[in-house]
Amino acid sequence: MGKKYANPPIVEAACEVRLTLESSGENSKWDPVVPGLVYEKVKGEFPVRKRGYIQEIALSPEEESPKVQKSEVAVFSTEDKSASIRIWLETPRFSVSRLKPYQSWGEFKPRIKTVLDAVTQVVEVKSVSEIILRYLNRIEVPKKPVEVEEYFEFNPSLGKRLPQNKSDFIVGCIFPFEAGRDLCKVQLTNGYSEREDISAFILGIDYMLVKPEQVSWSSRLEWIENAHQKIEEIFEGCITDKARELFEGVK
């Protein structure tokens, strides 16, 4: 992450943005033509295009139980499919993602800016209603079983009266930042490994804006840069030196 590891454990990095558009004006509507207009501006970098669907669980205070929502998206990707853009057809929302091998923040951030700039040229944006910067890490340890605390400072703590052997686990926490303007959700769980001599762990870090009225559209890149810095700090705080050794040191 912050340190330039030769073999970083990142399997996916993503930035998702939801927008509030101006209430009036020629480009104040979000409709199915928007993705095509954005594509014309980014096709040099994301030439491969297709349509797809995303299923999400929606929680509403008016509903007794969550509902599954299906949304149609336009997907633009690089030739090798390592980086892609998803643009929702019916709502002002898009995401930019980078799959493994993740190169660097210096490579990923400009792609986020490219899409932000393209969208700004197509619709009149009033403000952001949500931003999430997400990193998903898969950390493989070449042995079984593993004492989780040897590799993770962020780990499940078991009381002395509980069984100490565990077959599966999930541990999570939400940290507030910037006087509650932002939240960072951290989650660690064991992952599946096809090899009997490998233990796998999934560490997810989501940094999100929860008080959008405190971030102007003009300061969007500043917020994203700060979010990335916080994610790096959290990541380093979650792992031990023994885990760092798995990433083949630093470039």
Side-chain angles (χ1 to χ4, degrees):
M1 298 284 291
K3 300 173 184 289
K4 296 181 180 179
Y5 295 111
N7 184 30
I10 300 166
V11 293
E12 183 177 14
C15 181
E16 182 177 318
V17 182
R18 298 185 192 223
L19 306 170
T20 299
L21 304 184
E22 292 289 354
S23 57
S24 61
E26 182 179 353
N27 299 323
S28 62
K29 294 182 179 180
W30 189 276
D31 55 45
V33 306
V34 169
L37 297 175
V38 173
Y39 176 75
E40 290 302 315
K41 298 183 180 301
V42 302
K43 63 183 180 182
E45 192 169 353
F46 299 91
V48 182
R49 62 189 300 184
K50 66 177 183 178
R51 291 285 182 94
Y53 291 90
I54 292 178
Q55 287 189 337
E56 299 174 295
I57 297 177
L59 299 174
S60 171
E62 292 80 20
E63 302 290 341
E64 294 184 358
S65 58
K67 290 186 176 180
V68 177
Q69 290 185 342
K70 187 177 181 181
S71 303
E72 187 174 8
V73 295
V75 182
F76 312 138
S77 61
T78 55
E79 291 285 1
D80 62 1
K81 308 295 177 64
S82 65
S84 64
I85 306 167
R86 288 188 179 93
I87 302 181
W88 275 249
L89 269 64
E90 297 180 356
T91 56
R93 177 183 176 189
F94 64 89
S95 68
V96 188
S97 64
R98 167 75 201 201
L99 300 177
K100 187 178 181 177
Y102 179 87
Q103 296 177 335
S104 68
W105 177 239
E107 182 264 349
F108 184 46
K109 182 184 176 182
R111 284 180 163 161
I112 298 173
K113 183 179 185 302
T114 293
V115 182
L116 285 168
D117 291 346
V119 170
T120 302
Q121 295 170 30
V122 170
V123 293
E124 295 183 30
V125 179
K126 180 180 180 180
S127 61
V128 294
S129 57
E130 184 180 62
I131 311 178
I132 301 175
L133 187 62
R134 175 179 295 115
Y135 277 79
L136 187 65
N137 304 273
R138 178 181 171 87
I139 299 171
E140 295 187 339
V141 180
K143 68 174 182 176
K144 284 186 177 180
V146 170
E147 296 295 332
V148 180
E149 57 272 17
E150 290 185 20
Y151 293 87
F152 298 95
E153 299 281 1
F154 184 76
N155 58 67
S157 176
L158 300 176
K160 294 180 179 179
R161 298 174 62 184
L162 291 172
Q164 298 303 299
N165 293 330
K166 49 191 177 293
S167 58
D168 297 285
F169 74 89
I170 181 170
V171 58
C173 192
I174 296 178
F175 301 99
F177 286 93
E178 307 297 337
R181 185 197 68 185
D182 306 334
L183 294 177
C184 186
K185 181 177 72 174
V186 183
Q187 183 171 292
L188 177 69
T189 184
N190 55 303
Y192 172 75
S193 176
E194 294 181 349
R195 293 179 52 179
E196 295 184 356
D197 60 337
I198 295 290
S199 296
F201 301 91
I202 307 299
L203 175 62
I205 306 176
D206 294 7
Y207 192 94
M208 61 198 82
L209 172 67
V210 294
K211 294 183 178 180
E213 68 278 2
Q214 296 184 15
V215 175
S216 65
W217 177 243
S218 61
S219 61
R220 58 196 183 277
L221 286 175
E222 181 182 344
W223 184 94
I224 291 171
E225 180 65 41
N226 179 69
H228 179 259
Q229 180 180 340
K230 292 294 192 297
I231 287 176
E232 286 192 330
E233 293 171 358
I234 291 290
F235 175 78
E236 293 296 333
C238 284
I239 61 174
T240 67
D241 287 340
K242 204 164 185 178
R244 294 182 182 92
E245 293 174 3
L246 299 172
F247 313 145
E248 299 179 357
V250 181
K251 286 184 179 179

